[in-house]
Amino acid sequence: MLRFLVRRLLQAIPTLLILSILVFAWLRSLPGGPAAALLGDKATPEKIANLNHVLGLDQPVVIQYFKFLGRAVTGDFGASLVSTQPVMSEIGTFLPATIELGISAMIIAVLIGIPAGYLSARYRGGVADNVIIVLTLIGVAVPVFFLGYMMQDLLAGPLGLPSQGRQTAGLDATAITNFAVLDGIMTSEWDAVWDAIKHLILPAFALATIPLAVITRITRASVLEVLNEDFIRTANSKGLTQPVVRRRHVLRNGLLPVVTTIGLQTGALLGGAVLTERVFNFRGLGFLLAEGIERRDYPRLQALLLFGALVYVLVNMLVDVSYGIIDPRVRVR
Amino acid sequence: MIFGAAGNPKLFDPIFNDEGETFRITRQIFDTLIQNKPGTADLEPSLAEKWEPSNDGKTWTFSLKQGVKFSDGTAFDAAAVCFNFDRWYNMKGAAAQSQMIYYADVFSGFAKNESTDYGDPVYKSCEAKDPATAVVNLNKAKGAFPAAFTLPSFSMQSPTALKQYKADEVTQSGDSFTYSEYANKHPVGTGPFKFDSWDQGKGEITLSKNETSPTQTAKLDKLIFKVIPDENARKQALKAGDIQGYDYPAPADYGLLRNEGEQVLVRPPFNVLYLGINQSGPAAEKLKNLKVRQALAYGINREQFVKSKLPEGAETATEFVPKTISGYTDDVTKYPFDQAKARQLLQEAGATDLTLKFYYPTEVTRPYMPNPADVFTSISEDLKAIGIKIEPVAKPWNGGYKDDVQKFGKHDLHLLGWTGDYNDAGNFVGTFFGRKKPEFGFDNPQLFQALAAADASPAGDAHAKAYQEVNKQIMDYLPAIPISYGPPAIVVGPKVKGLVASPLTDERFNTVTVN
């Protein structure tokens, strides 16, 4: 297992290197540049040229890249142009929000998606199956930001839920880990816990829609496939009770592709979080990225895009590891 | 009170800053020597009770308010004033100097310039004659004074705190800069509020009442700025009662907000939108002809455009400074809408087959230009009606537009504008037409000289008169066409009292109460 992990980690290095070149080249090819972004509206070509010189942006791109790489391997991604805070400390500050939102969305997606997919497969062709299929189609098709705005306008008021932010403004809650719910529990500030949960509900549901729909469909397809396998017929003919067959054979075998999907969807959540966090003003990494793109915050974008890639690589590794746990044959191979 | 801000502040040391979201906060923490009378661009005393220029404009004597303390308990006096002036002038390091945008603009150079872009320093020295009298000596008179003393960048900061938290340590970090602990956590001024915290994760900046504030004791105990970048989200937050006010409501929402009982406070215009003309662009030969530029001016129905496309309070511009600025004059050549005259001028100039490359920005709204596409359509329709062919070029504001127009001068016509920083005509016309620029592509030494002379003319009536003369010259020469003065608005909930909308977005929250 350890060798497997090390090999996967080593494989991640060239991936990240290539990505860093792509990200760097892309940002450098955009008109404007960091100097214009730093100087804002009143930037003149002379001021921009002067600042480019101070920042070393008038040097050849290859030199700039290697300097960037040299700093990046030591964890120095510079400071955000928008907030002037070191980008790594920004990521540390904003990451908990994204994790909190992502986990909530994934819990919703898994808790609803797997039973719904199973139900759909078990009652194939019935009313429940048809309703679930239509709903999952809508779930995949509706853009997150549209859903987000609809939820804000139609649901927030009637349900008494906040439509934006992570916490009520001015709420004096203690921050320890920056996980709002966890901090509230740790300090027994139950008002703050409830406040944080209320702020999570709408964005988590908005973010959950796509993974929820995908998980439902994959579960359905996978369970259907397993139900037709010979070993299920064998299990049934052995006289095992239905709950045992379902738990031991159908679910266990049917879950393998679902786990892969959950893993991939977790990686994709970061993409969805950009829109969701933006719409709900939920200050996580997605919010940070959206703001970074708008304000041409190059140091922040460089760091966030590479960080996102790293997370994706790690999540995929976890998926592979969990494969091995569910199905030992994968490990042997 | 919780106020919804449109963007993150950058840092709280105002000398290294030049953008509004930070100034909104530092204006509550710091005072300047002179300030703007609430709701106007006129000057009134702040930390200086009186200010007196010498006849040649090279010496400024400030009589300071007595008994004032910084919020860290240290005294504000003439020595503190001189400490601040000397700090700016002696600032070391290319990183630090490159971030002192307003200082470099107003004071030209430093004790030791770190860039060839800076010139001879305007500042010479500062003497603390006695605790209540500070004398600032300049190497030459500067038209920007005294108005520039109101700039938030030139706020008076506590020398003790500046030293203690190493405020001058600005370092380069990759493509960007990092600032001292002072700038992020410990700004100390004499203002009605003092800085409590900046919670990055929540996007909240918390200020509390400064009990030691000399005359402007705040009525609010706590003032929180909540950063909500999305305009729609700010509106939702106000409706939900999460915040009690926010900035930059969309003009389309004014009516809706008022119907719901909110107070939309329209600021007096302090900006100008203009149609730029490039005399070195693709159609340079034609556009160098004054008659052609005049034809463009007569051909545009600006009144109609202002009435139909701009929010309430907008006005048609007759020159490049808004009416609130000293130096504005009604006595300029005007170009009322007259299509027949426009066609005739084109004929006289032999330019009846004129084709112009008209650049306009996308992905942006500015206070003077809520919707660039609307402005473009309106103006280009007018120009087509007098027989000019238009080749539209739309580019993203930061994605090539500003480069193409201001750096490369690829255009014939373009849309741009300016929001003033302080009450000085030079801040407008000097910025636009003070020297040869790719944006306008003309070289008119006479006009450049007149602007330089107006800038160096001593403060007061002579100064205003000099700019009035220059404004006349500009409107005769017509390097561009002023279109409109636009009013941005600020919105507060029904329970908020005492907030005065300022043309300079210099709203101060010390007079505010929330029932």
Side-chain angles (χ1 to χ4, degrees):
Chain A
M1 185 58 108
L2 189 69
R3 270 183 61 191
F4 167 76
L5 277 177
V6 171
R7 203 174 63 228
R8 290 303 307 266
L9 269 177
L10 288 176
Q11 280 170 353
I13 292 173
T15 314
L16 289 175
L17 259 180
I18 293 170
L19 260 165
S20 73
I21 294 174
L22 287 177
V23 167
F24 195 84
W26 170 59
L27 289 176
R28 287 301 180 281
S29 71
L30 294 175
L38 255 174
L39 290 168
D41 261 9
K42 308 220 156 156
T44 59
E46 294 86 354
K47 281 181 191 155
I48 292 173
N50 175 32
L51 195 53
N52 275 336
H53 182 68
V54 172
L55 291 172
L57 293 168
D58 50 357
Q59 292 174 349
V61 181
V62 180
I63 293 178
Q64 287 184 48
Y65 173 74
F66 280 108
K67 280 190 175 168
F68 158 74
L69 199 64
R71 287 192 306 269
V73 291
T74 64
D76 174 13
F77 282 88
S80 157
L81 305 184
V82 176
S83 70
T84 70
Q85 298 302 300
V87 179
M88 291 312 281
S89 97
E90 273 196 338
I91 291 181
T93 309
F94 284 75
L95 181 62
T98 301
I99 294 179
E100 205 168 49
L101 179 63
I103 289 177
S104 310
M106 230 37 210
I107 289 175
I108 293 170
V110 169
L111 284 187
I112 301 177
I114 293 180
Y118 183 78
L119 253 167
S120 195
R122 211 179 145 208
Y123 301 103
R124 185 185 184 180
V127 180
D129 185 28
N130 281 319
V131 169
I132 288 171
I133 287 178
V134 170
L135 284 179
T136 53
L137 261 178
I138 296 174
V140 175
V142 175
V144 175
F145 71 90
F146 176 70
L147 192 75
Y149 281 128
M150 288 234 306
M151 282 176 153
Q152 280 184 338
D153 285 342
L154 302 177
L155 294 180
L159 296 180
L161 292 172
S163 61
Q164 58 93 28
R166 258 186 100 190
Q167 274 180 350
T168 301
L171 182 83
D172 205 7
T174 317
I176 303 166
T177 60
N178 275 334
F179 289 92
V181 178
L182 187 66
D183 285 348
I185 294 172
M186 285 165 73
T187 53
S188 304
E189 291 169 8
W190 303 111
D191 284 354
V193 175
W194 178 228
D195 184 73
I197 291 175
K198 276 203 297 190
H199 279 83
L200 263 171
I201 293 175
L202 292 183
F205 267 96
L207 185 59
T209 44
I210 290 178
L212 168 57
V214 174
I215 288 171
T216 307
R217 305 214 87 181
I218 300 286
T219 309
R220 179 181 182 273
S222 172
V223 168
L224 274 180
E225 209 182 299
V226 173
L227 282 175
N228 287 326
E229 293 277 354
D230 290 343
F231 63 85
I232 299 293
R233 220 170 303 137
T234 313
N236 281 330
S237 59
K238 275 198 301 189
L240 292 176
T241 59
Q242 276 308 302
V244 173
V245 174
R246 272 177 223 149
R247 205 173 52 237
R248 276 207 203 143
H249 297 286
V250 180
L251 262 183
R252 184 143 193 184
N253 287 288
L255 275 186
L256 203 56
V258 178
V259 169
T260 319
T261 309
I262 292 173
L264 290 175
Q265 288 295 318
T266 306
L269 272 183
L270 200 63
V274 176
L275 293 173
T276 311
E277 290 180 4
R278 181 72 187 168
V279 170
F280 289 95
N281 194 33
F282 199 91
R283 299 175 70 88
L285 292 186
F287 175 92
L288 213 55
L289 185 69
E291 192 186 57
I293 292 169
E294 257 165 46
R295 305 276 299 269
R296 298 269 153 131
D297 192 340
Y298 292 68
R300 186 191 273 180
L301 291 176
Q302 277 159 193
L304 276 178
L305 292 174
L306 286 179
F307 181 77
L310 184 69
V311 169
Y312 212 89
V313 169
L314 289 178
V315 167
N316 273 303
M317 258 174 62
L318 274 178
V319 171
D320 288 349
V321 172
S322 60
Y323 252 47
I325 294 168
I326 296 178
D327 186 354
R329 283 172 302 173
V330 178
R331 219 173 353 181
V332 176
R333 263 184 258 146
Chain B
M1 176 181 187
I2 303 172
F3 187 86
N8 254 322
K10 232 166 118 176
L11 72 173
F12 304 107
D13 184 342
I15 194 66
F16 297 125
N17 187 71
D18 66 332
E19 56 92 41
E21 292 302 342
T22 303
F23 284 158
R24 189 199 307 287
I25 296 161
T26 61
R27 276 181 162 122
Q28 321 305 326
I29 305 173
F30 299 106
D31 291 313
T32 39
L33 290 173
I34 305 171
Q35 66 184 15
N36 297 108
K37 211 177 273 175
T40 74
D42 301 340
L43 308 186
E44 69 171 18
S46 180
L47 286 173
E49 280 175 328
K50 273 194 311 187
W51 56 94
E52 197 79 50
S54 59
N55 284 338
D56 61 2
K58 287 189 187 175
T59 303
W60 287 83
T61 305
F62 296 96
S63 309
L64 307 175
K65 211 171 266 172
Q66 304 238 41
V68 178
K69 282 196 160 78
F70 288 104
S71 63
D72 61 0
T74 57
F76 166 80
D77 52 18
V81 172
C82 289
F83 183 92
N84 276 279
F85 273 90
D86 286 338
R87 173 189 179 224
W88 307 330
Y89 174 64
N90 291 306
M91 190 66 71
K92 288 193 187 78
Q97 288 188 8
S98 71
Q99 295 304 285
M100 295 170 68
I101 307 286
Y102 279 123
Y103 186 82
D105 268 359
V106 174
F107 288 92
S108 299
F110 298 84
K112 184 178 169 293
N113 287 339
E114 305 267 1
S115 159
T116 49
D117 199 37
Y118 307 131
D120 296 330
V122 169
Y123 177 81
K124 190 174 173 189
S125 63
C126 177
E127 305 158 50
K129 284 218 154 157
D130 57 67
T133 315
V135 180
V136 174
N137 301 305
L138 307 178
N139 287 316
K140 59 178 178 187
K142 178 79 187 174
F145 299 137
F149 290 121
T150 65
L151 269 173
S153 283
F154 305 141
S155 294
M156 290 294 127
Q157 310 192 50
S158 157
T160 313
L162 287 169
K163 281 186 273 189
Q164 186 182 350
Y165 299 107
K166 303 186 169 55
D168 296 354
E169 281 185 8
V170 181
T171 49
Q172 193 191 330
S173 158
D175 298 351
S176 47
F177 302 105
T178 48
Y179 296 87
S180 68
E181 217 186 327
Y182 176 85
N184 289 306
K185 289 186 187 147
H186 304 285
V188 177
T190 58
F193 292 93
K194 60 181 185 200
F195 180 84
D196 275 356
S197 65
W198 180 17
D199 187 327
Q200 295 264 352
K202 283 163 108 182
E204 280 178 24
I205 300 92
T206 308
L207 312 183
S208 60
K209 183 195 276 192
N210 175 13
E211 304 286 355
T212 65
S213 172
T215 49
Q216 315 183 61
T217 318
K219 293 180 175 156
L220 297 165
D221 289 328
K222 212 166 219 191
L223 173 61
I224 296 174
F225 292 97
K226 170 100 183 149
V227 181
I228 310 176
D230 184 69
E231 198 269 329
N232 196 48
R234 291 202 292 280
K235 192 169 67 188
Q236 296 275 2
L238 181 70
K239 279 198 211 167
D242 290 345
I243 57 175
Q244 283 83 50
Y246 69 88
D247 208 353
Y248 308 119
D253 286 339
Y254 289 4
L256 190 88
L257 285 162
R258 283 198 179 117
N259 287 342
E260 286 172 356
E262 319 291 359
Q263 308 174 60
V264 179
L265 311 172
V266 177
R267 296 168 166 132
F270 202 69
N271 58 37
V272 64
L273 163 70
Y274 60 78
L275 174 73
I277 302 172
N278 183 8
Q279 296 184 40
S280 298
E285 286 318 308
K286 297 278 164 64
L287 291 173
K288 275 183 182 151
N289 189 328
L290 177 63
K291 284 186 177 171
V292 176
R293 302 201 297 277
Q294 287 173 336
L296 297 176
Y298 281 117
I300 300 169
N301 193 345
R302 289 172 287 172
E303 283 81 5
Q304 181 59 34
F305 162 72
V306 168
K307 243 186 258 168
S308 61
K309 302 282 185 197
L310 292 186
E312 63 178 82
E315 292 165 27
T316 307
T318 48
E319 63 205 84
F320 291 90
V321 296
K323 287 178 182 165
T324 31
I325 285 264
S326 108
Y328 173 90
T329 168
D330 225 14
D331 183 24
V332 291
T333 308
K334 298 193 178 76
Y335 302 88
F337 180 53
D338 187 341
Q339 288 187 320
K341 192 160 186 177
R343 280 195 209 95
Q344 186 202 331
L345 282 162
L346 285 176
Q347 198 141 30
E348 285 170 23
T352 44
D353 59 340
L354 195 58
T355 302
L356 297 175
K357 219 172 230 184
F358 189 166
Y359 273 61
Y360 68 100
T362 58
E363 297 174 20
V364 73
T365 61
R366 313 291 332 137
Y368 49 80
M369 183 164 56
N371 187 344
D374 263 5
V375 191
F376 166 77
T377 311
S378 181
I379 292 178
S380 57
E381 287 308 315
D382 286 346
L383 295 180
K384 281 181 202 163
I386 55 168
I388 295 173
K389 282 197 198 74
I390 297 294
E391 276 180 29
V393 184
K395 287 219 165 181
W397 180 258
N398 272 326
Y401 182 75
K402 285 191 82 182
D403 274 358
D404 276 4
V405 164
Q406 294 190 309
K407 202 162 147 189
F408 306 119
K410 290 184 177 177
H411 60 291
D412 290 313
L413 302 178
H414 71 287
L415 295 175
L416 215 64
W418 181 263
T419 299
D421 302 306
Y422 46 91
N423 189 345
D424 178 56
N427 182 237
F428 283 80
V429 283
T431 311
F432 308 148
F433 311 122
R435 68 213 148 88
K436 202 177 164 192
K437 284 166 80 178
E439 185 183 343
F440 300 106
F442 68 88
D443 190 3
N444 184 339
Q446 201 192 336
L447 184 60
F448 299 158
Q449 256 166 31
L451 277 160
D455 184 48
S457 63
D461 288 347
H463 188 67
K465 207 157 179 71
Y467 272 113
Q468 286 175 349
E469 285 308 314
V470 177
N471 284 334
K472 281 188 219 170
Q473 271 188 47
I474 291 172
M475 287 313 292
D476 286 340
Y477 178 67
L478 212 62
I481 300 164
I483 303 287
S484 52
Y485 310 124
I490 181 169
V491 55
V492 289
K495 291 178 180 167
V496 176
K497 300 271 176 292
L499 187 76
V500 182
S502 152
L504 292 145
T505 63
D506 178 13
E507 286 86 19
R508 278 169 255 153
F509 287 78
N510 55 307
T511 51
V512 170
T513 55
V514 182
N515 293 330

